[in-house]
Amino acid sequence: MNYYIETYGCQMNFADSEIVASIMNDNDYKLTKDIKNADVIFVNTCSIRDNAEQRVRNRFKEFYSLKKKRPSLIVGMLGCMAERLKDQLLEEERILDLIVGPDAYKDIPLLIENVRKGVKGINVILSSNETYSEIQPVRIDSNGITAFISIMRGCQNFCSYCVVPYTRGKERSRSADTIITEAKRLFENGYREVTLLGQNVNSYNFTSDKESISFALLLSDVAAINPLLRVRFATSHPKDMSDELLHTIADHPNICRSIHLPVQSGNNRILGLMNRKYTREWYMNRIEAIHRIIPDCSVSTDIIAGFPGETETEHNDTLSLMEWARFEFAYMFKYSERPNTAAAKKYTDDIPEEIKIRRLEEIIKLQNKLSYESNIKDINKTHEVLIEGVSKRSKSHLFGRNSQNKVIIFPAGEHKPGEYVNVFVNRCTPATLIADK
Ligand code: SAH
Ligand code: SF4
Ligand code: F3S
């Protein structure tokens, strides 16, 4: 039996699909890249914004014709949307045979057996301790050089706009031993970069009878595996970004000089309504600490435009904070009301669509300028690049990233993916650094 898996959403969801693949392979199913050969189709879904769910809904329409041609085809929805909508989906998406939430993936083989007997399968039970710690993920679409490692699951920060605490359940940390073993195994298999993943990695804490391991400790243990293994991590929550962690990064050259620190808004009233638990001043203090302790560190962020009640002045506070912080990169979104979140219950989604769009455009325009200016500063310098693969635009060029997470394109010469190479960047676009020789 062959299965096909399609993934939407964040990096954690991509890591989860690799866990599902491992569970399936252990049960004698085979991964196929060709949907037409699949006996089982999984869609691992995201609920973070309404448009994320709409994309999946549209994709399901395409599956109708496949299922019509082959009624034995099993279609399953996994992930956050499955968790959020639960059995309501059985009514809304008639072709669905399986609905499995993020903590129930070990149950999939059994649920498939039941589907074959004619019983639709649903398991959306959230767990307070499942971390899939002992499962060795099967790498899907891997470049063989960079990989993600989930180090924790869930989130209980309850930012008022966010669906994740409801779809992913309580925060829990995976055992440090299994994380380090997985990273070692990746290195032995030729991988040269691991990204440690969690919704708020700074609050990682694994406690056993023997010890209590903080994120800073975990990070230095992973960095100690080999100097040739780069270590990245995401996402950091500003409220938990400690100087101790910044010193750990500074002490290890192979921990990348790149921190993703979502700010969401530059205005204190809005940050309060968002339940982010920090102020503009606290955030600025953390950015100053980053630059003081790790002078060559890049900072990226996430921003939401048009939160309920956001005034023009409050929006301008976000723009001025961006100017001040000079982010290297940002993910930028319009506020999307998510059913049952605190924001949906307490506030009216009252910023008209055209104003949300205009504010988002202003944010994007400013960020493009900041990214370009930051890239221009990197010209006429030598950068150490970990080569990830062949450039999409030219077969004679390779691409990789520097420690600051910027993409660099350069002539291939004799080099191969997985190697470190020093390249002299002589020009750039707003998105890429380029070395012509
Ligand atoms: N755990 C991470 C973010 C996870 S979600 C953190 O706390 O920073 C990724 C990003 O999606 C968020 O940072 C936020 O900018 C955005 N986002 C989350 N919910 C949203 C919503 N309802 N509308 C618009 N953007 C949202
Ligand atoms: Fe959502 Fe906030 Fe948790 Fe991030 S920290 S996943 S934004 S609730
Ligand atoms: Fe989406 Fe769930 Fe990730 S809502 S962003 S897939 S945790």
Side-chain angles (χ1 to χ4, degrees), residues 284-320:
M284 291 168 85
N285 170 286
R286 293 297 78 209
I287 297 271
E288 281 168 347
I290 291 172
H291 294 319
R292 183 174 66 245
I293 299 168
I294 324 166
D296 54 347
C297 195
S298 72
V299 183
S300 54
T301 201
D302 293 352
I303 295 173
I304 299 176
F307 189 81
E310 185 189 63
T311 65
E312 218 46 44
T313 315
E314 289 165 341
H315 162 64
N316 286 332
D317 284 345
T318 297
L319 296 174
S320 73

Side-chain angles (χ1 to χ4, degrees), residues 378-394:
D378 284 335
I379 293 179
N380 292 331
K381 286 183 189 146
T382 300
H383 298 255
E384 188 184 52
V385 178
L386 170 61
I387 307 175
E388 288 179 31
V390 177
S391 161
K392 274 182 209 125
R393 274 184 232 140
S394 145

Side-chain angles (χ1 to χ4, degrees), residues 44 49 52 59 68 79 82 92 108 119 219 230-231 243 263 267 288 303 306 312 314 335 370 431 433:
N44 194 357
R49 285 166 292 274
R59 189 68 179 122
K68 237 188 207 151
E92 293 171 1
I108 290 175
V119 188
L219 201 54
R230 271 188 178 175
V231 189
D243 284 5
V263 67
N267 175 268
E288 281 168 347
I303 295 173
E312 218 46 44
E314 289 165 341
Y335 173 70
L370 295 174
L433 301 178

